[in-house]
């Protein structure tokens, strides 16, 4: 598939996806949605990809749905249910099911579905100029893209409700204090810093990270007993990996491990 709205790059084991519609703050139209889904499928199906960085071009991460496409002046409005079903739901499911760590590099504002796409990633690094806005209520919509699932689990019901009701801007610092953002880098060299950080993740024991993601995903549905069973099953897989042997040998030999994600 030839991409018109995203840029992609493979750097070692890291696959970088840049939403590239800076003139509309990387808002997502249906074509961009299809391209993102295609790129995420590529990441899932390509063994050389060990981690993914999703970021935006220019001053925004992503301003959510392209509102000009959703409510065009010269045509009847698009069907919102179809947009949610065909664009956002598959992106969120693909991010959560991708068996590799996904890092959101939130370079600037992340609004509406853009904020919730970031929340669906496994780690968020942000520029010091980044912000997160549950912008939906300002245009009379409810939060979608999994926001009503992820945000209350991150910050609790009342904080989530107030962020969603008032659509206030959450700064990178506030998001870090809430445990949403892992690290903040200065905006001036954010693309390089986010790539360097994410390349570091790609060189970690990424099979173990993927199994950790699977366990955390399931923890939302399991009771303790079933979660312990799942941990046992996934640990058995990790325990047979190259990375486990390498990690233990490197520890015993007092050297840095060289993981392969296998
Ligand atoms: O169909 C459905 O709607 C269902 C799906 C819903 C999922 C959703 O994501 S709903 C939420 C959609 N997003 C928003 O409501 C956010 C809209 N944008 C904003 O509120 C503001 O742009 C920001 C707070 C994000 C940033 O504000 P600011 O002042 O820094 O920038 P700006 O001047 O508003 O935007 C710059 C340009 O980007 C501007 O175009 P112009 O005037 O330079 O030609 C603006 O129209 C454009 N832009 C920004 N966001 C969008 C957009 N164009 C289309 N869609 C957008 N979402």
């Amino acid at each position: 598939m030839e991409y018109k709205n995203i840029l992609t790059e493979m750097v070692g084991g890291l696959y970088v996806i840049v939403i590239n519609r800076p003139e509309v703050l990387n808002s997502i139209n249906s074509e961009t949605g299809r391209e993102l889904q295609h790129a995420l499928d590529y990441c899932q199906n390509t063994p050389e990809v060990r981690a993914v960085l999703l970021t935006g071009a220019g001053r925004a991460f992503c301003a959510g749905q392209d509102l000009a496409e959703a409510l065009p002046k010269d045509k009847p409005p698009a069907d919102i249910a179809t947009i949610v079903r065909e664009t956002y739901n598959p992106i969120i499911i693909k991010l959560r099911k991708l068996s590799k760590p996904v890092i959101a590099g939130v370079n600037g504002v992340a609004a509406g579905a853009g904020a919730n796409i970031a929340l669906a990633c496994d780690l968020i690094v942000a520029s010091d100029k980044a912000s997160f806005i549950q912008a939906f209520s300002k245009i009379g919509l409810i939060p979608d893209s999994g926001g009503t699932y992820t945000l209350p689990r991150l910050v609790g019901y009342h904080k989530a409700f107030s962020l969603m009701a008032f659509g206030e801007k959450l700064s990178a610092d506030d998001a870090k204090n809430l445990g949403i953002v892992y690290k903040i880098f200065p905006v001036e060299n954010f693309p390089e810093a986010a790539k360097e950080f994410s390349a570091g993740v790609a060189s970690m024991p990424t099979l173990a990270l993927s199994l950790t993601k699977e366990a955390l995903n399931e923890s939302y549905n399991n009771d303790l007993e079933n979660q312990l069973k799942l941990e046992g099953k996934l640990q058995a897989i990790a325990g047979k990996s190259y990375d486990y042997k390498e990690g233990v040998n490197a520890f015993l030999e007092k050297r840095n491990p060289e993981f392969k994600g296998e």
Side-chain angles (χ1 to χ4, degrees):
M1 181 180 205
E2 196 181 323
Y3 298 141
K4 292 192 192 136
N5 306 280
I6 63 173
L7 305 171
T8 61
E9 182 191 9
M10 186 82 178
V11 189
L14 177 71
Y15 195 75
V16 184
I17 304 172
V18 184
I19 309 174
N20 188 33
R21 305 181 76 220
E23 65 291 350
V24 285
L25 304 189
N26 302 320
S27 58
I28 296 179
N29 57 11
S30 49
E31 188 177 53
T32 311
R34 282 193 294 277
E35 292 179 11
L36 283 170
Q37 290 178 47
H38 186 274
L40 293 173
D41 284 343
Y42 173 82
C43 292
Q44 178 61 30
N45 297 326
T46 307
E48 293 75 28
V49 175
R50 292 177 58 190
V52 181
L53 169 63
L54 175 63
T55 188
R59 71 180 177 91
F61 173 72
C62 171
Q65 169 62 31
D66 182 333
L67 295 173
E69 184 190 68
L71 220 57
K73 288 217 170 86
D74 52 347
K75 286 194 275 181
D79 177 43
I80 290 197
T82 307
I83 293 179
V84 169
R85 198 176 55 245
E86 292 184 358
T87 299
Y88 296 102
N89 293 357
I91 290 174
I92 300 304
I93 294 292
K94 284 178 198 297
L95 286 169
R96 290 311 315 146
K97 290 206 168 158
L98 191 58
S99 61
K100 320 190 175 182
V102 184
I103 301 113
V106 182
N107 47 309
V109 63
N116 292 337
I117 285 172
L119 295 183
C121 296
D122 301 301
L123 282 165
I124 302 179
V125 296
S127 89
D128 51 6
K129 294 287 181 294
S131 58
F132 299 80
I133 311 175
Q134 293 290 327
F136 307 87
S137 66
K138 297 195 184 237
I139 54 168
L141 290 181
I142 72 143
D144 57 25
S145 304
T148 59
Y149 186 85
T150 45
L151 197 56
R153 285 170 169 79
L154 279 163
V155 301
Y157 176 91
H158 289 93
K159 184 72 187 170
F161 187 84
S162 56
L163 287 170
M164 289 170 168
F166 302 116
E168 283 162 6
K169 192 186 272 196
L170 196 63
S171 69
D173 276 335
D174 288 342
K176 187 161 185 283
N177 290 334
L178 286 167
I180 295 172
V181 164
Y182 177 62
K183 263 187 196 304
I184 297 178
F185 300 116
V187 73
E188 292 75 26
N189 69 337
F190 182 78
E192 297 75 26
K195 251 191 228 177
E196 191 182 331
F197 171 82
S198 306
V201 174
S203 68
M204 290 176 68
T206 42
L207 172 63
L209 296 188
S210 145
L211 298 170
T212 304
K213 175 172 183 170
E214 188 177 336
L216 289 178
N217 274 343
E218 290 305 317
S219 75
Y220 288 132
N221 312 317
N222 275 342
D223 58 19
L224 176 61
E225 220 166 298
N226 281 313
Q227 191 66 16
L228 288 169
K229 275 189 202 149
L230 177 66
E231 285 177 3
K233 188 180 125 199
L234 299 178
Q235 195 68 292
I237 299 172
K240 290 198 184 88
S241 69
Y242 171 91
D243 286 346
Y244 171 59
K245 278 197 206 88
E246 169 63 6
V248 174
N249 285 337
F251 174 77
L252 295 174
E253 292 160 17
K254 300 193 188 307
R255 60 172 173 82
N256 289 328
E258 283 189 34
F259 295 118
K260 289 186 177 174
E262 294 167 3

